[in-house]
């Protein structure tokens, strides 16, 4: 009996945030949510933080459809989208070094940088404007401890009336200061003292309680940040649906914005993550956040689904 062809895939990562990439411009994958669960398993599958399908788009050059390791669909991934740019360029799906990618968080613009071998090494992504209104992130401020509320003037005189900046949240009986930002998906940024060894911080114990806290109706990605100086931040991240990952692009962007709002860093800084470094810039004149970092291919293969 003739063997049924398997699914061709490429394993890629951006600063250690790894996904399985599939070219769906000419094919369809049934039940991608279950495929993401099965193949993301690091013991019985390929192993990844999730699955990303590259599709055609009538709004942009391509569409990125992503699923977390638990099968839930994500809106956007800054590390993942850089690898999409590398995939489409390196595999000849485009010859452009400025590429537009549609996502559930809107169209993003990538500037691809190639190396001596002609393949993409890094990408700079226009991540758009940060969302700071509590209801749009979303954050249910009733779930915070005595939400004080405030108004902040951010860009060109625009006033945000209900931000969540330096608010108190109680998680497992302990108080934390939290700032919330959406980059198309929701993030809660929490600051750790400088004397804490961030690599030994027990994120696996506290991360799930933040993710499922009543203040976050759609669950939350949580970044634990240690401010080194005005231009350097250490970061660990607990992603909803995936647990701890080695990097999170939207999380790094949200963390830079949050730290600027808290007056603790400049509008350009390097985020040091477990998987590598990401350079983030918040252009306050444009109200646009830019993410720059590496994109790597690990291996290609074929798998039965």
């Amino acid at each position: 009996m003739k063997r049924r062809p398997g699914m061709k895939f490429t394993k890629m990562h951006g600063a250690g945030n790894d996904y399985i990439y599939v070219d769906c411009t000419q094919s369809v994958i049934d039940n991608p949510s279950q495929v993401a669960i099965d193949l993301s398993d690091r013991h019985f599958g390929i192993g990844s933080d999730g699955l990303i399908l590259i599709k055609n788009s009538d709004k942009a050059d391509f569409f990125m459809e992503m699923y977390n390791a638990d099968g839930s669909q994500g809106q956007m991934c800054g590390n993942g989208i850089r690898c999409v740019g590398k995939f489409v360029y390196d595999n000849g799906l485009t010859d452009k070094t400025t590429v537009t990618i549609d996502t559930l968080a809107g169209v993003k613009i990538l500037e691809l940088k190639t190396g001596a071998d002609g393949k993409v090494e890094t990408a700079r992504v226009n991540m758009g404007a940060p969302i700071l209104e509590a209801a749009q992130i979303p954050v249910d401020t009733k779930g915070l401890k005595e939400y004080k509320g405030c108004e902040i003037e951010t860009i060109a005189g625009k006033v945000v009336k209900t931000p969540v900046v330096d608010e108190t949240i109680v998680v497992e009986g302990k108080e934390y200061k939290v700032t919330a930002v959406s980059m198309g998906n929701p993030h809660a940024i929490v600051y750790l003292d400088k004397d804490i060894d961030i690599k030994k911080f027990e994120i696996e114990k506290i991360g799930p309680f933040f993710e499922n806290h009543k203040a976050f109706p759609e669950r939350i990605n949580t970044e634990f940040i240690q401010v080194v100086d005005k231009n350097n931040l250490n970061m660990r991240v607990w992603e909803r649906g995936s647990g701890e990952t080695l990097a999170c692009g939207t999380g790094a962007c949200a963390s830079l914005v949050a730290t600027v709002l808290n007056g603790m860093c400049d509008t350009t800084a390097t985020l040091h993550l477990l998987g590598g470094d990401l350079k983030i810039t918040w252009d306050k004149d444009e109200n646009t956040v830019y993410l720059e970092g590496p994109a790597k291919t690990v291996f290609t293969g074929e798998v039965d689904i």
Side-chain angles (χ1 to χ4, degrees):
M1 184 171 63
K2 187 175 181 181
R3 176 180 175 273
R4 179 185 175 186
M7 182 189 78
K8 293 181 178 179
F9 70 90
T10 300
K11 173 79 175 286
M12 308 180 78
H13 79 87
N17 194 189
D18 61 336
Y19 287 87
I20 299 160
Y21 294 79
V22 180
D23 179 2
C24 288
T25 59
Q26 302 294 329
S27 62
V28 176
I29 292 179
D30 296 327
N31 197 2
S33 178
Q34 187 61 48
V35 172
I37 294 172
D38 295 341
L39 297 187
S40 295
D41 191 289
R42 297 190 183 276
H43 298 286
F44 299 102
I46 296 168
S48 70
D49 292 326
L51 172 71
I52 291 180
L53 310 181
I54 300 167
K55 297 186 171 184
N56 295 312
S57 171
D58 57 4
K59 294 181 181 179
D61 294 318
F62 300 94
F63 179 77
M64 180 181 87
E65 183 175 305
M66 67 167 292
Y67 296 86
N68 297 312
D70 68 350
S72 61
Q73 191 167 11
Q75 293 102 324
M76 172 59 186
C77 175
N79 292 312
I81 201 170
R82 293 200 313 278
C83 291
V84 170
K86 177 176 175 61
F87 184 101
V88 297
Y89 186 88
D90 288 359
N91 288 285
L93 299 182
T94 184
D95 60 0
K96 298 191 295 185
T97 54
T98 299
V99 182
T100 55
I101 308 292
D102 191 17
T103 73
L104 293 182
V107 175
K108 308 301 179 185
I109 303 171
L110 282 67
E111 298 291 339
L112 308 178
K113 297 181 181 180
T114 59
D117 60 358
K119 295 184 177 180
V120 172
E121 290 186 345
T122 65
R124 186 173 191 255
V125 187
N126 180 331
M127 299 288 285
I131 297 169
L132 303 175
E133 297 276 0
Q136 296 178 29
I137 293 172
V139 176
D140 182 351
T141 57
K142 294 178 182 178
L144 302 172
K145 182 181 179 181
E146 298 176 357
Y147 173 66
K148 59 182 184 292
C150 62
E151 290 187 0
I152 56 174
E153 185 174 310
T154 56
I155 310 298
K158 180 182 178 182
V159 174
V160 178
K161 295 184 177 180
T162 57
V164 178
V165 177
D166 194 37
E167 296 285 351
T168 301
I169 189 171
V170 179
V171 181
E172 285 298 278
K174 183 178 178 180
E175 291 187 359
Y176 296 86
K177 291 294 187 179
V178 64
T179 298
V181 178
S182 173
M183 292 302 306
N185 52 0
H187 294 272
I189 295 85
V190 177
Y191 295 95
L192 303 178
D193 293 335
K194 285 188 176 182
D195 58 355
I196 291 176
D197 186 343
I198 193 169
K199 291 185 178 180
K200 294 182 179 179
F201 177 69
E202 295 181 316
I203 193 172
E204 70 282 355
K205 292 184 178 180
I206 193 64
F209 292 105
F210 269 94
E211 178 181 353
N212 297 289
H213 194 279
K214 62 183 179 180
F216 309 119
E218 296 181 7
R219 296 188 295 163
I220 201 80
N221 303 288
T222 309
E223 285 71 39
F224 296 90
I225 298 296
Q226 192 173 56
V227 179
V228 178
D229 55 41
K230 290 285 188 179
N231 301 109
N232 293 275
L233 309 177
N234 293 329
M235 169 180 155
R236 286 181 67 184
V237 56
W238 183 269
E239 291 198 56
R240 60 177 182 174
S242 293
E244 183 176 21
T245 59
L246 296 182
C248 176
T250 56
C253 293
S255 296
L256 182 281
V257 170
T259 311
V260 170
L261 292 175
N262 281 284
M264 294 188 288
C265 78
D266 294 337
T267 53
T268 294
T270 299
L271 279 287
H272 305 283
L273 302 95
L274 296 182
D277 295 345
L278 297 173
K279 181 181 178 182
I280 312 297
T281 297
W282 185 14
D283 187 323
K284 298 189 77 172
D285 291 330
E286 297 179 0
N287 192 22
T288 301
V289 181
Y290 293 93
L291 162 67
E292 186 171 353
K296 304 289 184 182
T297 296
V298 182
F299 61 86
T300 62
E302 187 175 299
V303 62
D304 293 333
I305 57 173

